[in-house]
Amino acid sequence: MKQLWYGGTIYTMEKENETVEAVLIEDDKITAVGHLEELSEQADIKIDLQGAAMYPGFVDSHLHMIFQGEKLIRLDLAKAASAEEMLEMIKEAAASTPEDKWLFGEGWNENNFSNGRIPTIKELDDIRKEPILLTRVCHHVILGNSAALEAGGVNQDSPSPGGGEIGRDSEGKLNGLLFDNAMNTVTNAIPRVGEGYVQGLVNELNLCIDDMLAKGLTGGHTEDMHYFGHYTNPLTAFLRTVGEKHHFRVNLLRHNAVFKEMMEDHVPFDEPFVEPGAMKIFTDGALGGSTAALSEPYSDNPNNKGLLIQTNQELEELVKLARHYHEAVAVHIIGDAGAEQILTLLEKYPAPSGKRDRLIHACVLREDLVERMAKLPVVVDIQPLFVPSDFPWVVKRLGNDRLDYAYAWKTLLDKGIMCALGTDAPVEEINPISTIYAAVERKKPGEDHNGYLPEQKLSRFEAVRAYTVGSAQAICKEHERGLIKPGYVADFSIFDRDLFKGTSEEMLEAKAVKTVVAGRIVFNRKK
């Protein structure tokens, strides 16, 4: 059965401003593009875009889909403007949380508070004697009450683990904060077994995928295999959702803690809808919690350079493990010290043939590091929404001297480094239109300035191409995904307006009207 799509502006994304009148697809592939009159007679079904704008399928190159699903049902603390407002929100949620359940909250950010004060462990204990666990927006810091810390075996005498820190107040007492690796014992104490738990993951994934499809996203590269009990829990959830419906494409990064076991178990996937991805590794933390690893101290904390999650030897062994299985690595790097640590190893142990390593975030770099990156077969996963989220407070944290290579997406592209666009959801909003706006304007909508570090602005074409071609390059599938071209998959993101026309503010009003995966309409907005 051959479908003909026509009647709108169809961007191939192969060249800037390149459009075609019509696209002919058969089953799940594009068979021809060109003039409507030439292709019309070959079609069994004709679908009129009615003036909408069609693009290759948008793919979020880095996110955490189950965490995003959790965010949609958990207490959302992102809008709290003070510690007091955050505590009131927790009190309200506690009133409806059963005593045998943990109270979870997501997205708090003290940088949005007028005085930067974080609620204390005592304030949380006063609300509830059962566990409260609140995840910071960056997902590199958690805040818990005494019951949550006790569940993870964290007490006054507990030492901070390597690659993590147990927070304490000025008197040396626990303050409820746990940073990076110090979070593990508490998060591992959360009950995560049984069919009911797995079905809960399925429900969260369905919420996330439905939301992504409604925003025009046809796929995502997601990291979920290590945080929800045994890896079979999240894997089963993906196979029950995407694997059964074939309405979305996911590439599953495999955390280094479970990578070897998954390889030895010869885990079955369901390609091309549920695909195995690279080994995920963390080198450092985040700028918000001052745990990103910097080569020079934080400007607002001269005694702190952040945290390296792995020693050089530990990181080398992980890279060697990935190479043993002929696999690429996907490495979280926020600070320049973390970037330098992994680049040294990628130079020593090149990516396997047919694979590309990816560097995730790359927020703080240096000229020498960018030059080294340009010589490697790497893709950088960038998150433009970090800019309006992190500025202007990050200037105080980094100081002016480091800003030339901070959030420097344009510099990377100009150096010929491949970039893919993502959101790190639930850390940032999952909407691709908001992400494109942030890449182009580098500010929040409505702000009256020329953008933070405006020389790093991307064009709209560069931003959209990073969502399409860039995401395909990240998994070495640019020969079959990311363009509207014969032989490519029939994945389309269709919006009610042309994203390349009008002002950026007008573009923000765009809504997905149809989302197509493998030739099937999987989302159709009701009028």
Side-chain angles (χ1 to χ4, degrees):
M1 188 73 70
K2 294 183 178 181
Q3 294 180 14
L4 184 72
W5 291 76
Y6 73 100
T9 306
I10 303 172
Y11 286 96
T12 68
M13 293 309 297
E14 190 163 22
K15 299 175 183 177
E16 190 163 6
N17 297 320
E18 183 178 77
T19 61
V20 293
E21 284 186 349
V23 178
L24 188 69
I25 70 173
E26 185 172 8
D27 298 325
D28 62 345
K29 294 287 175 60
I30 299 169
T31 58
V33 300
H35 295 292
L36 174 60
E37 185 176 352
E38 294 173 357
L39 298 178
S40 184
E41 61 186 28
Q42 302 179 44
D44 300 303
I45 299 173
K46 298 178 182 180
I47 302 174
D48 188 348
L49 290 167
Q50 297 181 337
M54 175 191 280
Y55 305 83
F58 283 20
V59 175
D60 192 309
S61 70
H62 181 68
L63 77 163
H64 308 270
M65 289 176 61
I66 296 179
F67 281 137
Q68 174 67 12
E70 286 183 344
K71 180 180 179 181
L72 296 174
I73 61 174
R74 285 183 172 180
L75 173 62
D76 183 4
L77 299 171
K79 294 182 179 180
S82 66
E84 290 70 27
E85 184 175 349
M86 179 172 161
L87 288 166
E88 286 301 317
M89 295 169 73
I90 297 165
K91 286 179 184 177
E92 184 175 345
S96 59
T97 303
E99 291 183 0
D100 63 341
K101 301 292 185 183
W102 290 46
L103 192 165
F104 296 103
E106 300 277 339
W108 61 271
N109 185 355
E110 78 283 5
N111 291 310
N112 294 334
F113 298 172
S114 56
N115 59 6
R117 186 180 83 81
I118 298 171
T120 67
I121 191 170
K122 182 181 184 304
E123 288 174 317
L124 297 184
D125 288 344
D126 289 342
I127 293 174
R128 193 172 194 258
K129 64 179 184 297
E130 298 81 21
I132 298 174
L133 196 61
L134 312 169
T135 304
R136 193 183 183 279
V137 62
C138 63
H139 274 239
H140 287 265
V141 185
I142 56 177
L143 174 64
N145 67 350
S146 294
L149 269 59
E150 289 168 4
V154 177
N155 57 51
Q156 189 61 37
D157 298 323
S158 298
S160 292
E165 182 180 346
I166 296 174
R168 301 179 187 276
D169 62 22
S170 59
E171 297 178 356
K173 297 179 179 179
L174 298 176
N175 63 10
L177 293 168
L178 300 173
F179 300 82
D180 288 295
N181 280 355
M183 302 187 300
N184 294 345
T185 58
V186 172
T187 56
N188 288 341
I190 300 168
R192 289 175 170 145
V193 295
E195 172 59 26
Y197 178 70
V198 173
Q199 187 56 46
L201 299 182
V202 170
N203 295 340
E204 290 161 358
L205 261 183
N206 277 324
L207 284 173
C208 176
I209 293 171
D210 288 348
D211 186 46
M212 293 178 75
L213 292 173
K215 289 179 169 59
L217 291 158
T218 62
H221 304 167
T222 182
E223 200 248 310
D224 304 90
M225 293 296 103
H226 177 51
Y227 310 106
F228 307 96
H230 194 266
Y231 79 79
T232 53
N233 289 340
L235 180 61
T236 298
F238 277 102
L239 291 174
R240 285 188 189 174
T241 52
V242 178
E244 291 183 2
K245 298 178 183 177
H246 289 178
H247 63 322
F248 195 76
R249 299 184 195 270
V250 293
N251 185 275
L252 302 180
L253 301 185
R254 292 166 285 182
H255 191 286
N256 60 265
V258 300
F259 177 81
K260 184 178 181 182
E261 183 181 7
M262 292 184 73
M263 297 302 295
E264 290 177 344
D265 289 350
H266 301 287
V267 170
F269 292 87
D270 188 15
E271 301 181 65
F273 298 98
V274 182
E275 301 173 326
M279 176 199 278
K280 173 67 182 294
I281 307 173
F282 288 84
T283 66
D284 63 351
L287 289 168
S290 298
T291 57
L294 303 177
S295 56
E296 298 295 332
Y298 282 84
S299 294
D300 60 351
N301 187 352
N303 296 317
N304 180 30
K305 287 186 177 183
L307 292 170
L308 285 172
I309 304 297
Q310 323 280 345
T311 66
N312 291 340
Q313 182 177 353
E314 289 169 340
L315 189 61
E316 183 168 4
E317 290 303 314
L318 291 176
V319 174
K320 288 167 64 177
L321 176 63
R323 301 310 193 224
H324 173 74
Y325 287 103
H326 194 76
E327 191 52 84
V329 293
V331 189
H332 167 111
I333 55 169
I334 295 283
D336 61 334
E340 185 168 18
Q341 187 187 38
I342 191 60
L343 285 174
T344 299
L345 294 173
L346 299 187
E347 291 164 343
K348 185 175 180 180
Y349 303 100
S353 176
K355 303 275 186 175
R356 291 191 184 102
D357 296 317
R358 66 168 85 189
L359 304 175
I360 301 170
H361 310 314
C363 292
V364 184
L365 298 169
R366 305 189 306 261
E367 182 178 8
D368 62 303
L369 298 178
V370 173
E371 295 295 337
R372 292 167 66 181
M373 289 164 60
K375 297 175 182 177
L376 292 170
V378 298
V379 175
V380 181
D381 280 333
I382 62 174
Q383 293 74 39
L385 280 166
F386 281 6
V387 174
S389 290
D390 293 0
F391 283 80
W393 60 261
V394 78
V395 177
K396 181 181 179 182
R397 197 145 294 175
L398 293 176
N400 290 321
D401 292 343
R402 278 183 279 219
L403 294 183
D404 285 348
Y405 287 89
Y407 306 76
W409 324 134
K410 182 66 172 176
T411 295
L412 297 180
L413 285 176
D414 288 348
K415 283 290 183 181
I417 298 170
M418 292 176 281
C419 292
L421 219 61
T423 60
D424 203 17
V427 174
E428 297 293 349
E429 181 188 0
I430 206 168
N431 188 351
I433 304 302
S434 300
T435 304
I436 294 167
Y437 180 92
V440 172
E441 297 294 339
R442 293 180 70 93
K443 63 182 180 180
K444 294 178 181 177
E447 289 185 336
D448 187 20
H449 58 83
N450 193 35
Y452 300 107
L453 309 180
E455 67 277 7
Q456 295 295 341
K457 290 180 177 180
L458 303 187
S459 70
R460 284 190 229 178
F461 178 76
E462 288 171 328
V464 172
R465 189 173 167 85
Y467 251 124
T468 56
V469 175
S471 292
Q473 290 171 329
I475 55 174
C476 294
K477 291 188 180 294
E478 66 269 26
H479 61 288
E480 62 182 42
R481 299 181 191 176
L483 298 175
I484 294 181
K485 184 176 180 179
Y488 280 62
V489 297
D491 293 356
F492 308 129
S493 299
I494 303 170
F495 296 92
D496 62 357
R497 66 189 66 205
D498 190 330
L499 303 182
F500 299 138
K501 304 294 184 184
T503 66
S504 296
E505 284 66 29
E506 290 170 338
M507 180 194 66
L508 278 173
E509 300 299 318
K511 295 186 184 302
V513 291
K514 284 183 175 62
T515 306
V516 179
V517 175
R520 292 171 48 224
I521 299 173
V522 292
F523 169 77
N524 196 1
R525 186 173 297 279
K526 296 178 181 179
K527 294 184 179 180

